Amino acid sequence: MGKILLFLFSPLLLLGQGEYDQWRFGYGSGLDFNSGSPVVVESSIQSSESAASVSDCSGQLLFYTDGETVWSSNNSIMDGGFDLRGVGGAYPSSQGAIIVKRPKSSSIYYIFTASDIYGLNYSVVNMAANGGQGKVIQKNIKLSGSLTQKLGVTYHQNQEDIWVITHYENSNVYETFLVTQTGISPTSIQSATGPTFTSSHGDIKFNQQGNKVGAVVQDQNLISLADFNNVTGKVSNSYGIIGQYNSPHGCEFSPSGSKFYVTAWGLNGGVIQFQVSSNNSSTLSSDAENLSGNFKPNGSPQLAPDGKIYIAHDPDFWSFGSYLGVINFPENAGASSSFNKNGIYLGSSGSSWELPNVTLINNNILEEIEIEAEGFCHNSETEFSLSNTIGLVDVLWDFDDVNSGVFNFSNDISPNHIFSSPGIYTVKVTVTNVCEIEEYTKIVVIDEGPVSELDSLKVCSFTESAVGFSPASDVNYNWSPSEGLSSNTVSNPSFNS
């Protein structure tokens, strides 16, 4: 039985990891990173702090939010995208929103919102609705009544499930929530460790490795660093310093996690770089370096898809134009990191205190795909499979064999099918992966197969006689019973009684 590879022909797919390539933030501002370098664009958002945005796998904008309103890619308010609860009290919520795509889904997203009025909630967006413009299908589902303005996100160790973290005010409790393909786990993980946060204004961030979590509290002049177990969701060894750098608003890690950055706008403030060690106390107690001199940004840092760290700066009344600062080489120490307070000119739009909160990129993206098929004889099973199932959510096979009834369709990833008659069939498989839905087709030829013309044969005792027929290519033979045959695996063995 022969085995062949059937290549799927489909339009070129850009399956890059582009979910964080579109930023929308501030006062009508936006950046597009699809070219590799940021390009300034405009948006409908008007937010003094909270922002989050998400794109599809190819980097095309899907939607964005300020924690209260949700805008579609056409910059119009999404169906149902209003009155979310990411609002602040004395201050606007610093991290009032974060967007998380449900694992192994092509269309469902969660918007987590944090508020020191309403606590922690989430809403659900279905991007398959309204022709791809999306719809908020559930809104303001309560996770916690405790007050917070902090939201961070990282992957579970399995690189599929996702941890969302917060820290509550007037508390030393971190809380993490696990998001899986079935939804948000009803059981959260709480960790009481480190200093009490007397308020919640300011950022919380994971490093890219998912084993450290940093946080700042502006009014407390607090900078903290802790360890994170991305299997259990537990936070431990939290350590904080108070008063060394006043009014810290944001924090961020370099891509490798070797540097920890804090932006502070008060006394001794600036863009502060810490060298990260395994011991959190040592990291924060060691000498840090101010990269920005006398410049104290009114805003938070954010690691971007190009590997640079951009820094929000809400300009004062006397400023001419709005810029984002940039750390060009965040892995380098001190001045060699190349900080520039005028990194990107935003034009007629403006920066506020926050850039878009982190949106994770998909780890499991379908790349190359083939159909593997085996067996093309009538009355025998034809076996189908896909050579690459990474990122696969669902499949639907259509064998183009209507006479087979309900067996003409299958949701199995590797189905078998017995075609009802010889002929030419256009087999179609509809593949839903974490990025999109695609259809692939392939023509399959089912042969009639070998026809036996054997009949009863009388032979003399102790006389060798040839039986069988001429061999056919790609056909296996198995004679039964095989007593007296010279071989039971050839088409024309000799028989001797």
Side-chain angles (χ1 to χ4, degrees):
M1 189 178 294
K3 183 175 183 179
I4 65 173
L5 293 178
L6 305 180
F7 289 86
L8 294 172
F9 298 94
S10 65
L12 178 64
L13 300 179
L14 300 176
L15 295 180
Q17 298 175 331
E19 292 91 337
Y20 196 44
D21 279 356
Q22 297 283 352
W23 288 14
R24 301 295 185 268
F25 60 94
Y27 306 112
S29 295
L31 294 176
D32 182 340
F33 286 91
N34 277 301
S35 67
S37 298
V39 176
V40 175
V41 296
E42 295 183 351
S43 66
S44 294
I45 193 171
Q46 295 290 322
S47 175
S48 58
E49 300 228 18
S50 174
S53 52
V54 65
S55 305
D56 64 17
C57 294
S58 62
Q60 301 306 303
L61 179 66
L62 292 177
F63 65 92
Y64 56 100
T65 181
D66 62 357
E68 299 179 62
T69 303
V70 185
W71 291 271
S72 298
S73 60
N74 60 8
N75 295 316
S76 298
I77 296 176
M78 181 180 287
D79 186 2
F82 54 88
D83 292 338
L84 275 66
R85 292 185 172 173
V87 298
Y91 300 106
S93 188
S94 49
Q95 291 176 306
I98 201 166
I99 299 170
V100 176
K101 189 176 185 180
R102 192 175 74 186
K104 289 193 173 181
S105 173
S106 60
S107 60
I108 299 299
Y109 294 79
Y110 299 106
I111 302 176
F112 289 81
T113 54
S115 167
D116 56 5
I117 300 174
Y118 298 111
L120 192 64
N121 295 269
Y122 74 91
S123 300
V124 183
V125 173
N126 183 359
M127 283 306 300
N130 294 322
Q133 289 299 309
K135 180 179 181 179
V136 179
I137 58 174
Q138 292 178 284
K139 192 184 302 184
N140 298 328
I141 301 169
K142 181 73 73 176
L143 284 172
S144 172
S146 299
L147 305 183
T148 179
Q149 292 192 3
K150 287 175 161 53
L151 285 170
V153 65
T154 192
Y155 272 110
H156 186 280
Q157 188 189 50
N158 63 22
Q159 295 297 299
E160 179 177 294
D161 299 330
I162 294 168
W163 291 108
V164 175
I165 193 170
T166 193
H167 192 295
Y168 300 112
E169 63 181 47
N170 297 315
S171 166
N172 71 336
V173 174
Y174 297 83
E175 189 166 21
T176 56
F177 301 84
L178 188 63
V179 184
T180 72
Q181 62 177 316
T182 61
I184 301 170
S185 174
T187 303
S188 64
I189 307 297
Q190 291 192 345
S191 305
T193 178
T196 294
F197 289 15
T198 58
S199 70
S200 61
H201 195 69
D203 294 352
I204 191 169
K205 293 282 182 66
F206 284 106
N207 64 359
Q208 296 290 294
Q209 294 69 38
N211 57 21
K212 294 282 186 182
V213 57
V216 299
V217 181
Q218 176 180 280
D219 292 351
Q220 192 180 0
N221 301 322
L222 169 68
I223 301 170
S224 71
L225 193 61
D227 296 330
F228 183 69
N229 186 320
N230 62 5
V231 176
T232 65
K234 294 289 289 185
V235 180
S236 61
N237 303 318
S238 178
Y239 179 81
I241 58 174
I242 295 176
Q244 281 86 333
Y245 307 97
N246 286 357
S247 301
H249 191 273
C251 59
E252 185 57 282
F253 293 88
S254 66
S256 72
S258 66
K259 307 293 187 294
F260 179 55
Y261 293 90
V262 171
T263 53
W265 57 272
L267 184 66
N268 297 326
V271 179
I272 313 300
Q273 182 191 67
F274 296 88
Q275 308 295 319
V276 178
S277 68
S278 59
N279 184 281
N280 300 322
S281 173
S282 298
T283 296
L284 295 183
S285 300
S286 300
D287 290 338
E289 187 161 355
N290 187 337
L291 305 180
S292 60
N294 294 326
F295 175 69
K296 301 174 184 179
N298 297 328
S300 293
Q302 181 59 57
L303 180 63
D306 62 1
K308 300 179 181 182
I309 293 177
Y310 293 90
I311 298 173
H313 177 59
D314 196 338
D316 58 38
F317 179 79
W318 304 106
S319 297
F320 295 94
S322 181
Y323 290 84
L324 297 182
V326 61
I327 303 172
N328 287 292
F329 307 107
E331 299 292 359
N332 293 352
S336 63
S337 63
S338 182
F339 169 74
N340 180 4
K341 71 175 184 178
N342 295 327
I344 297 179
Y345 178 59
L346 295 177
S348 59
S349 304
S351 171
S352 64
W353 287 76
E354 289 282 353
L355 296 171
N357 208 343
V358 178
T359 298
L360 295 180
I361 59 174
N362 278 311
N363 283 329
N364 297 321
I365 295 181
L366 208 62
E367 295 179 355
E368 296 180 2
I369 186 170
E370 298 173 348
I371 289 180
E372 293 183 350
E374 185 174 315
F376 302 97
C377 288
H378 180 225
N379 289 328
S380 297
E381 287 186 338
T382 302
E383 302 173 3
F384 294 94
S385 63
L386 298 174
S387 61
N388 190 335
T389 60
I390 295 176
L392 199 66
V393 176
D394 193 17
V395 297
L396 175 62
W397 294 85
D398 179 347
F399 300 109
D400 190 29
D401 185 16
V402 294
N403 291 332
S404 64
V406 295
F407 298 107
N408 187 43
F409 303 95
S410 176
N411 292 113
D412 293 339
I413 294 177
S414 301
N416 297 333
H417 183 71
I418 299 176
F419 287 89
S420 58
S421 62
I424 300 174
Y425 297 87
T426 302
V427 177
K428 179 175 72 175
V429 60
T430 302
V431 176
T432 302
N433 59 52
V434 293
C435 291
E436 55 195 326
I437 299 174
E438 289 291 320
E439 290 185 352
Y440 306 95
T441 60
K442 183 62 186 181
I443 295 175
V444 174
V445 179
I446 301 301
D447 298 321
E448 185 174 353
V451 177
S452 173
E453 297 179 353
L454 290 178
D455 201 350
S456 59
L457 181 66
K458 295 180 179 180
V459 296
C460 297
S461 300
F462 309 109
T463 301
E464 189 172 278
S465 301
V467 296
F469 39 78
S470 299
S473 61
D474 295 327
V475 175
N476 295 326
Y477 300 92
N478 186 15
W479 292 84
S480 180
S482 60
E483 289 79 9
L485 294 178
S486 59
S487 171
N488 70 328
T489 59
V490 297
S491 65
N492 54 351
S494 297
F495 176 78
N496 193 321
S497 62

PDB file of all heavy atoms in Angstrom, residues 210-230:
ATOM      1  N   GLY A 210       8.659  35.077  32.791  1.00  0.00           N
ATOM      2  CA  GLY A 210       7.550  34.678  33.650  1.00  0.00           C
ATOM      3  C   GLY A 210       7.957  34.213  35.028  1.00  0.00           C
ATOM      4  O   GLY A 210       7.202  33.479  35.682  1.00  0.00           O
ATOM      5  N   ASN A 211       9.133  34.644  35.506  1.00  0.00           N
ATOM      6  CA  ASN A 211       9.555  34.214  36.848  1.00  0.00           C
ATOM      7  C   ASN A 211       9.806  35.371  37.815  1.00  0.00           C
ATOM      8  O   ASN A 211      10.161  35.155  38.973  1.00  0.00           O
ATOM      9  CB  ASN A 211      10.795  33.319  36.776  1.00  0.00           C
ATOM     10  CG  ASN A 211      11.964  33.995  36.075  1.00  0.00           C
ATOM     11  OD1 ASN A 211      12.031  35.216  35.973  1.00  0.00           O
ATOM     12  ND2 ASN A 211      12.897  33.182  35.593  1.00  0.00           N
ATOM     13  N   LYS A 212       9.651  36.614  37.336  1.00  0.00           N
ATOM     14  CA  LYS A 212       9.768  37.794  38.185  1.00  0.00           C
ATOM     15  C   LYS A 212       8.572  38.702  37.937  1.00  0.00           C
ATOM     16  O   LYS A 212       8.066  38.801  36.810  1.00  0.00           O
ATOM     17  CB  LYS A 212      11.053  38.576  37.890  1.00  0.00           C
ATOM     18  CG  LYS A 212      12.353  37.856  38.227  1.00  0.00           C
ATOM     19  CD  LYS A 212      12.647  37.881  39.715  1.00  0.00           C
ATOM     20  CE  LYS A 212      14.026  37.292  40.012  1.00  0.00           C
ATOM     21  NZ  LYS A 212      14.310  37.265  41.466  1.00  0.00           N
ATOM     22  N   VAL A 213       8.143  39.397  38.991  1.00  0.00           N
ATOM     23  CA  VAL A 213       7.065  40.364  38.858  1.00  0.00           C
ATOM     24  C   VAL A 213       7.453  41.618  39.639  1.00  0.00           C
ATOM     25  O   VAL A 213       7.814  41.554  40.816  1.00  0.00           O
ATOM     26  CB  VAL A 213       5.711  39.788  39.335  1.00  0.00           C
ATOM     27  CG1 VAL A 213       5.766  39.305  40.765  1.00  0.00           C
ATOM     28  CG2 VAL A 213       4.595  40.797  39.136  1.00  0.00           C
ATOM     29  N   GLY A 214       7.434  42.746  38.931  1.00  0.00           N
ATOM     30  CA  GLY A 214       7.753  44.020  39.557  1.00  0.00           C
ATOM     31  C   GLY A 214       6.496  44.867  39.685  1.00  0.00           C
ATOM     32  O   GLY A 214       5.529  44.697  38.937  1.00  0.00           O
ATOM     33  N   ALA A 215       6.506  45.795  40.638  1.00  0.00           N
ATOM     34  CA  ALA A 215       5.351  46.672  40.837  1.00  0.00           C
ATOM     35  C   ALA A 215       5.814  47.969  41.490  1.00  0.00           C
ATOM     36  O   ALA A 215       6.838  48.004  42.183  1.00  0.00           O
ATOM     37  CB  ALA A 215       4.279  45.996  41.694  1.00  0.00           C
ATOM     38  N   VAL A 216       5.042  49.032  41.251  1.00  0.00           N
ATOM     39  CA  VAL A 216       5.294  50.304  41.910  1.00  0.00           C
ATOM     40  C   VAL A 216       3.973  50.848  42.450  1.00  0.00           C
ATOM     41  O   VAL A 216       2.906  50.556  41.915  1.00  0.00           O
ATOM     42  CB  VAL A 216       5.949  51.341  40.964  1.00  0.00           C
ATOM     43  CG1 VAL A 216       7.290  50.833  40.462  1.00  0.00           C
ATOM     44  CG2 VAL A 216       5.025  51.658  39.791  1.00  0.00           C
ATOM     45  N   VAL A 217       4.070  51.637  43.524  1.00  0.00           N
ATOM     46  CA  VAL A 217       2.906  52.326  44.080  1.00  0.00           C
ATOM     47  C   VAL A 217       3.278  53.806  44.185  1.00  0.00           C
ATOM     48  O   VAL A 217       4.159  54.178  44.978  1.00  0.00           O
ATOM     49  CB  VAL A 217       2.495  51.772  45.448  1.00  0.00           C
ATOM     50  CG1 VAL A 217       1.269  52.520  45.971  1.00  0.00           C
ATOM     51  CG2 VAL A 217       2.205  50.277  45.352  1.00  0.00           C
ATOM     52  N   GLN A 218       2.624  54.648  43.382  1.00  0.00           N
ATOM     53  CA  GLN A 218       3.030  56.041  43.249  1.00  0.00           C
ATOM     54  C   GLN A 218       2.978  56.798  44.573  1.00  0.00           C
ATOM     55  O   GLN A 218       3.967  57.411  44.999  1.00  0.00           O
ATOM     56  CB  GLN A 218       2.135  56.725  42.214  1.00  0.00           C
ATOM     57  CG  GLN A 218       2.400  58.212  42.053  1.00  0.00           C
ATOM     58  CD  GLN A 218       1.494  58.847  41.025  1.00  0.00           C
ATOM     59  OE1 GLN A 218       1.757  58.740  39.836  1.00  0.00           O
ATOM     60  NE2 GLN A 218       0.423  59.492  41.483  1.00  0.00           N
ATOM     61  N   ASP A 219       1.832  56.786  45.256  1.00  0.00           N
ATOM     62  CA  ASP A 219       1.666  57.610  46.452  1.00  0.00           C
ATOM     63  C   ASP A 219       2.456  57.102  47.642  1.00  0.00           C
ATOM     64  O   ASP A 219       2.676  57.839  48.613  1.00  0.00           O
ATOM     65  CB  ASP A 219       0.183  57.706  46.819  1.00  0.00           C
ATOM     66  CG  ASP A 219      -0.612  58.497  45.793  1.00  0.00           C
ATOM     67  OD1 ASP A 219       0.027  59.106  44.911  1.00  0.00           O
ATOM     68  OD2 ASP A 219      -1.849  58.495  45.864  1.00  0.00           O
ATOM     69  N   GLN A 220       2.885  55.849  47.582  1.00  0.00           N
ATOM     70  CA  GLN A 220       3.655  55.249  48.686  1.00  0.00           C
ATOM     71  C   GLN A 220       5.155  55.353  48.431  1.00  0.00           C
ATOM     72  O   GLN A 220       5.947  54.986  49.291  1.00  0.00           O
ATOM     73  CB  GLN A 220       3.232  53.787  48.848  1.00  0.00           C
ATOM     74  CG  GLN A 220       3.707  53.106  50.107  1.00  0.00           C
ATOM     75  CD  GLN A 220       3.222  51.653  50.177  1.00  0.00           C
ATOM     76  OE1 GLN A 220       2.529  51.173  49.283  1.00  0.00           O
ATOM     77  NE2 GLN A 220       3.588  50.962  51.243  1.00  0.00           N
ATOM     78  N   ASN A 221       5.532  55.809  47.219  1.00  0.00           N
ATOM     79  CA  ASN A 221       6.946  55.852  46.817  1.00  0.00           C
ATOM     80  C   ASN A 221       7.587  54.467  46.923  1.00  0.00           C
ATOM     81  O   ASN A 221       8.761  54.325  47.290  1.00  0.00           O
ATOM     82  CB  ASN A 221       7.728  56.857  47.665  1.00  0.00           C
ATOM     83  CG  ASN A 221       7.173  58.264  47.559  1.00  0.00           C
ATOM     84  OD1 ASN A 221       6.749  58.691  46.477  1.00  0.00           O
ATOM     85  ND2 ASN A 221       7.160  58.991  48.666  1.00  0.00           N
ATOM     86  N   LEU A 222       6.801  53.432  46.568  1.00  0.00           N
ATOM     87  CA  LEU A 222       7.221  52.038  46.744  1.00  0.00           C
ATOM     88  C   LEU A 222       7.609  51.405  45.405  1.00  0.00           C
ATOM     89  O   LEU A 222       6.912  51.558  44.403  1.00  0.00           O
ATOM     90  CB  LEU A 222       6.087  51.228  47.369  1.00  0.00           C
ATOM     91  CG  LEU A 222       6.256  49.698  47.394  1.00  0.00           C
ATOM     92  CD1 LEU A 222       7.392  49.301  48.337  1.00  0.00           C
ATOM     93  CD2 LEU A 222       4.958  49.012  47.794  1.00  0.00           C
ATOM     94  N   ILE A 223       8.724  50.706  45.409  1.00  0.00           N
ATOM     95  CA  ILE A 223       9.150  49.859  44.289  1.00  0.00           C
ATOM     96  C   ILE A 223       9.348  48.460  44.843  1.00  0.00           C
ATOM     97  O   ILE A 223      10.051  48.275  45.848  1.00  0.00           O
ATOM     98  CB  ILE A 223      10.466  50.368  43.662  1.00  0.00           C
ATOM     99  CG1 ILE A 223      10.302  51.804  43.153  1.00  0.00           C
ATOM    100  CG2 ILE A 223      10.909  49.447  42.535  1.00  0.00           C
ATOM    101  CD1 ILE A 223      11.613  52.448  42.747  1.00  0.00           C
ATOM    102  N   SER A 224       8.726  47.459  44.217  1.00  0.00           N
ATOM    103  CA  SER A 224       8.827  46.087  44.724  1.00  0.00           C
ATOM    104  C   SER A 224       9.202  45.119  43.621  1.00  0.00           C
ATOM    105  O   SER A 224       8.968  45.381  42.431  1.00  0.00           O
ATOM    106  CB  SER A 224       7.504  45.645  45.369  1.00  0.00           C
ATOM    107  OG  SER A 224       6.507  45.438  44.388  1.00  0.00           O
ATOM    108  N   LEU A 225       9.787  44.014  44.034  1.00  0.00           N
ATOM    109  CA  LEU A 225      10.184  42.947  43.114  1.00  0.00           C
ATOM    110  C   LEU A 225       9.948  41.616  43.811  1.00  0.00           C
ATOM    111  O   LEU A 225      10.251  41.463  44.996  1.00  0.00           O
ATOM    112  CB  LEU A 225      11.653  43.094  42.729  1.00  0.00           C
ATOM    113  CG  LEU A 225      12.179  42.263  41.565  1.00  0.00           C
ATOM    114  CD1 LEU A 225      11.435  42.613  40.278  1.00  0.00           C
ATOM    115  CD2 LEU A 225      13.682  42.498  41.384  1.00  0.00           C
ATOM    116  N   ALA A 226       9.382  40.651  43.073  1.00  0.00           N
ATOM    117  CA  ALA A 226       9.034  39.357  43.667  1.00  0.00           C
ATOM    118  C   ALA A 226       9.310  38.233  42.684  1.00  0.00           C
ATOM    119  O   ALA A 226       9.507  38.459  41.478  1.00  0.00           O
ATOM    120  CB  ALA A 226       7.557  39.346  44.080  1.00  0.00           C
ATOM    121  N   ASP A 227       9.337  37.001  43.194  1.00  0.00           N
ATOM    122  CA  ASP A 227       9.483  35.804  42.365  1.00  0.00           C
ATOM    123  C   ASP A 227       8.096  35.260  42.030  1.00  0.00           C
ATOM    124  O   ASP A 227       7.148  35.370  42.820  1.00  0.00           O
ATOM    125  CB  ASP A 227      10.281  34.730  43.101  1.00  0.00           C
ATOM    126  CG  ASP A 227      11.698  35.166  43.387  1.00  0.00           C
ATOM    127  OD1 ASP A 227      12.244  35.971  42.599  1.00  0.00           O
ATOM    128  OD2 ASP A 227      12.265  34.715  44.409  1.00  0.00           O
ATOM    129  N   PHE A 228       7.993  34.628  40.862  1.00  0.00           N
ATOM    130  CA  PHE A 228       6.718  34.052  40.432  1.00  0.00           C
ATOM    131  C   PHE A 228       6.925  32.633  39.950  1.00  0.00           C
ATOM    132  O   PHE A 228       7.864  32.341  39.200  1.00  0.00           O
ATOM    133  CB  PHE A 228       6.094  34.892  39.314  1.00  0.00           C
ATOM    134  CG  PHE A 228       4.741  34.393  38.875  1.00  0.00           C
ATOM    135  CD1 PHE A 228       3.650  34.490  39.728  1.00  0.00           C
ATOM    136  CD2 PHE A 228       4.553  33.818  37.624  1.00  0.00           C
ATOM    137  CE1 PHE A 228       2.394  34.031  39.338  1.00  0.00           C
ATOM    138  CE2 PHE A 228       3.308  33.354  37.221  1.00  0.00           C
ATOM    139  CZ  PHE A 228       2.228  33.459  38.082  1.00  0.00           C
ATOM    140  N   ASN A 229       6.044  31.734  40.389  1.00  0.00           N
ATOM    141  CA  ASN A 229       6.039  30.347  39.933  1.00  0.00           C
ATOM    142  C   ASN A 229       4.943  30.210  38.886  1.00  0.00           C
ATOM    143  O   ASN A 229       3.754  30.240  39.212  1.00  0.00           O
ATOM    144  CB  ASN A 229       5.779  29.407  41.112  1.00  0.00           C
ATOM    145  CG  ASN A 229       5.899  27.946  40.743  1.00  0.00           C
ATOM    146  OD1 ASN A 229       5.467  27.535  39.667  1.00  0.00           O
ATOM    147  ND2 ASN A 229       6.461  27.139  41.634  1.00  0.00           N
ATOM    148  N   ASN A 230       5.345  30.074  37.620  1.00  0.00           N
ATOM    149  CA  ASN A 230       4.337  30.061  36.556  1.00  0.00           C
ATOM    150  C   ASN A 230       3.667  28.701  36.370  1.00  0.00           C
ATOM    151  O   ASN A 230       2.878  28.521  35.441  1.00  0.00           O
ATOM    152  CB  ASN A 230       4.922  30.552  35.227  1.00  0.00           C
ATOM    153  CG  ASN A 230       6.055  29.683  34.712  1.00  0.00           C
ATOM    154  OD1 ASN A 230       6.387  28.650  35.278  1.00  0.00           O
ATOM    155  ND2 ASN A 230       6.658  30.117  33.618  1.00  0.00           N
TER     156      ASN A 230
END
